[in-house]
Each structure stands twice: as C-alpha cells, then as structure tokens.
Amino acid sequence: MPTQAVSSASPERASQPRLFDLTPAHRELKDKARRFAEEVVAPRAAEIDQTDEYPHDIVRKLAEQGFMGMVVPEAYGGGGASLLSATLVVEEIAKASAVVARIVVDANTAVPGALIHYGTESQKRRYLPWIVEGDKPAIAITEPDTGSAASELETSAKRDGDVYLLNGHKRWISGGGVSRLYLIFARFEDRPGADGVGGVLVESANPGLKIDRVRKIMGLRGMPEADVSLHDCRVLPDAILVPPGGGFPKLMRAYNRQRVGAAAIALGVAQAAFDQALGYAQQRRQFGRYIGQFQGVQWMLADMHVKLEAARLLVYRAAGNAGDAFPDPTETAVAKLVAAEDAIDVVNTALQIHGAMGYSCDLPLERMLRDVRMYAIGGGTTQVLRNLIASRLLPKDLYKSASR
C-alpha cells in the first residue's frame, strides 16, 4: 500500500513515514464519498429498509459521482481506479446504508473485474459502459442444491448448432430483476467437476432468463434476492466470458474482489455503530455520571475500537495489495472473516450500550445488526473461509486427508 510522510506530535518521529497511511488523493476520495453518504444516502437509508425498494434514484446519483464502475478503464468510460479506491468509497457509503454500499461493490468488483481481465474487446465495449452508467451487474453462482460447494453446480450450457442453451435454476441472486447483466456460472456439456464450469454473460432481456421469486430477507432490504431460472436460454458463443477447462479458478479469482467489498461494507457499518455508541456514552447519564465514565463501558468501547482497527488494516491490505488486479485469496479470506465477525460483535455491543433505545426501531442500530449479520454467510461463510485459510497453510496432501 502507498505510504507518505506525515507530521507527528513527537519531534523525534516527525520525519518518519507512517506505514499504511492513505495518500492525499485517497483521503480526498474518502471525503467525497463521506459527503455523498451524509447528504444523499443517509436521509433515505431507513426508507429503503422499510419499503424494500431498490433505490434507482440514488444509483443514478452514484453514477453521476463516478462511483459506479469507477474501476473500469477510462477507455470504456470509467475512472480507471484501483480496488483500494473503490474499497474506500464502499466503506464510507456503508456508514449510511449497507444496501447502497452493496450496489457500489457489485459495480466495482466481481463482474467488472472479470470483464476487464477476461473479456473480449467486444464484451468490454458493450457491457462496461452499462456499469458505468448505473447497472449493478449480478453474479449467479448459488443454486438450490449448491451453495458453498460452488464447483458442484448443475446449471448446464450445451451446444445446439450455432448457439448454447442454458438451463438451470439459480438462487440468492443479488439484483435479480433490476440488473441488466448477469454472469452465469454453468457446467458445459456435462463435464464433471470444476473443470467443466465456465462463465456466460446473459442480458436481462433474453427471453430464456426468468425471475421466479424475490425473497423477503432479514436485512439488506432494498436489494432484491431472487430465484432465477434459465429455460433454453439461447446465447451465442461470443457470450462466453470464461470457457471451461481452467475457467472456474479464474471466475473465483474475480469473485475474491467481491469478498473484499463485502468486508468493506461490514467495516463501514460497524464503524458507524461505534461512532453512535461513543457519542451516546458521552451524553447518557446514569447514577449521576456519564455512562462513558464507567470502566465496564470504557472496556466495551476499547474492544470495539481494537476490532475496527484490526479489520480496517486487513481490508486495506487485501485491497491495496491487489492493485488493479485480483486480491490474494488468503489475504481476502482473512479480511472478510475478521471484518464480518468483528462487525457483528461491534454492532451488537453498540446496541447494548444504548440499552432499550438500541433495541428500538427509533435508532438505526437494529437495522445495522440485521445488515451485518449477512456477511458471515454471503460471499463465503466464515466456516468456508476458515477452510480456505487452512488449505493455504497446510501441505495439500495433509489438508486433503484431514478434510475427508
């Protein structure tokens, strides 16, 4: 990650650079995203949660600010930004609304990354401008009988003359029904295992793609989670983004970008909850004292701060080391694992500090708790992430024998 020299209160350290400091450009970007979150997103956050409606108007404003497809190269209308820059924007917007931040994540991580690195020139010129203009692309992996075991999917892609026919069912597709572009993970010609999996680009206007059901979920309301079916969905060969035969690892490398984004959302929501708790501890009086004067509350605040700082460094490291490419799988898994679990703890503790007010719907803490709970599940459960980390630590033979 970039470093810079900054002044310090300690004279002997004044000339020393601080590690992991953001550049002035990064700080300016964070300030821009923070102002947008406070002025545009925050006033609408509760309404989006209550109505469970996709915020099309806010998405248009995100595009106007350059936050949609900000990682897209300038040649295709984007800002050419790094994953770290997108992560900083996500973190700030998540402080106001996890759902709006999720839209920014999807417009800057998995599908855009796959298009940028694997797409043909024709695919890039057609679809990357869609994202920059405001489309939140959907990535379709999960199926009714395939969740964490992504390589075991059953959706098929079979050649039929000059086209491929896609058939199958997808579940928990974020943005189903509002996205114009879908990246479908499919099994080609019944080839077994991960080697048979590839990625196909399907437009929402394709008559073979159907939205079967939009599920009501606990949190992150305003982002449709849909069941999507494919019925002899006809696509030309040039719709294949990543062919089978080594394609599955490529698709998962692109998906790792989304995991970094998910970790940034959890971090942003948790930071907002902490800020509320810190302010409340300095305002709420009990037994003739501010509750922040009680050591029990002080320790709660200290533990929350430590968790946030640790998560932030891990998230920034994963994003920063990725540069313009794909993040390291281990760094990504560590960042998402820590950010997801710590966010749940931090938000829950913030609610506890507020007492009955925290449990009420008068404050956003109950919404925040519902929202962050998903990040220990979606995008790789914390158990799957632990398995991934262990698989990278242990020799392959030892890990395989232990996991049977």
Side-chain angles (χ1 to χ4, degrees):
M1 291 180 56
T3 62
Q4 67 176 96
V6 295
S7 61
S8 169
S10 174
E12 64 272 17
R13 297 186 60 193
S15 62
Q16 296 181 12
R18 286 178 52 181
L19 297 178
F20 307 113
D21 237 19
L22 298 175
T23 66
H26 282 143
R27 292 185 181 280
E28 184 178 346
L29 180 62
K30 277 177 68 72
D31 289 342
K32 176 183 177 182
R34 183 182 302 114
R35 290 193 299 271
F36 182 86
E38 292 173 352
E39 297 170 7
V40 178
V41 181
R44 291 281 308 286
E47 176 191 343
I48 294 169
D49 177 70
Q50 291 164 5
T51 63
D52 199 11
E53 294 180 357
Y54 189 76
H56 291 280
D57 59 328
I58 291 180
V59 175
R60 286 192 292 271
K61 294 177 181 178
L62 287 168
E64 292 170 0
Q65 293 294 315
F67 294 148
M68 298 292 282
M70 58 188 297
V71 301
V72 171
E74 294 179 1
Y76 305 99
S82 66
L83 180 60
L84 176 59
S85 293
T87 299
L88 298 176
V89 170
V90 168
E91 180 188 0
E92 292 301 324
I93 292 178
K95 293 176 184 178
S97 168
V99 169
V100 177
R102 174 63 191 276
I103 294 168
V104 178
V105 166
D106 287 355
N108 287 286
T109 57
V111 178
L115 273 166
I116 292 167
H117 290 280
Y118 306 139
T120 64
E121 185 64 20
S122 175
Q123 290 170 342
K124 293 176 185 179
R125 292 206 173 276
R126 178 166 178 79
Y127 295 121
L128 289 177
W130 285 15
I131 299 170
V132 174
E133 292 164 7
D135 182 45
K136 185 218 79 65
I139 186 166
I141 305 175
T142 305
E143 298 179 356
D145 296 321
T146 303
S148 298
S151 63
E152 297 178 4
L153 56 84
E154 297 179 355
T155 295
S156 65
K158 295 184 178 182
R159 191 70 183 247
D160 182 36
D162 295 333
V163 302
Y164 280 87
L165 297 181
L166 303 181
N167 285 281
H169 298 272
K170 297 293 184 178
R171 183 170 289 178
W172 304 119
I173 307 308
S174 301
V178 297
S179 298
R180 292 178 67 192
L181 179 63
Y182 294 75
L183 173 55
I184 308 290
F185 281 42
R187 182 170 305 286
F188 282 71
E189 308 298 347
D190 296 326
R191 292 171 61 172
D195 190 61
V197 177
V200 185
L201 298 169
V202 179
E203 300 179 13
S204 61
N206 191 311
L209 186 147
K210 303 291 184 183
I211 305 300
D212 295 328
R213 174 185 179 186
V214 176
R215 295 174 180 267
K216 188 172 181 62
I217 55 177
M218 172 180 169
L220 293 173
R221 295 173 183 168
M223 172 69 76
E225 294 290 341
D227 291 3
V228 177
S229 61
L230 301 149
H231 304 278
D232 283 340
C233 182
R234 298 166 63 87
V235 295
L236 294 171
D238 62 9
I240 297 174
L241 177 64
V242 178
F248 183 72
K250 289 184 176 181
L251 290 166
M252 294 311 294
R253 279 197 290 273
Y255 190 63
N256 266 331
R257 290 170 62 101
Q258 191 175 55
R259 285 176 170 167
V260 173
I265 296 175
L267 171 63
V269 174
Q271 182 65 57
F274 171 78
D275 292 343
Q276 288 205 14
L278 183 62
Y280 189 72
Q282 299 171 69
Q283 298 169 3
R284 176 66 168 167
R285 294 179 65 89
Q286 289 290 282
F287 304 103
R289 305 165 67 185
Y290 292 108
I291 63 172
Q293 294 179 280
F294 292 98
Q295 188 180 62
V297 174
Q298 293 172 357
W299 284 16
M300 293 163 78
L301 292 169
D303 287 344
M304 294 161 76
H305 177 70
V306 168
K307 289 176 179 178
L308 285 168
E309 288 295 290
R312 181 169 290 106
L313 286 172
L314 290 170
V315 173
Y316 285 14
R317 180 185 71 168
N321 285 343
D324 297 324
F326 300 121
D328 178 79
T330 304
E331 291 183 354
T332 301
V334 170
K336 185 176 182 295
L337 172 63
V338 172
E341 292 191 340
D342 283 0
I344 294 171
D345 289 342
V346 168
V347 177
N348 194 46
T349 303
L351 191 153
Q352 183 72 20
I353 289 173
H354 280 81
M357 281 300 296
Y359 193 68
S360 77
C361 293
D362 293 337
L363 296 179
L365 291 168
E366 59 86 24
R367 165 168 54 86
M368 293 176 176
L369 188 57
R370 287 188 284 108
D371 288 345
V372 297
R373 187 62 185 84
M374 192 279 282
Y375 289 103
I377 300 171
T381 67
T382 50
Q383 291 74 28
V384 165
L385 295 177
R386 285 183 165 88
N387 286 343
L388 189 155
I389 294 166
S391 73
R392 306 273 291 190
L393 297 175
L394 294 169
K396 288 185 178 180
D397 291 344
L398 180 60
Y399 177 76
K400 287 181 179 179
S401 64
S403 59
R404 284 176 185 152

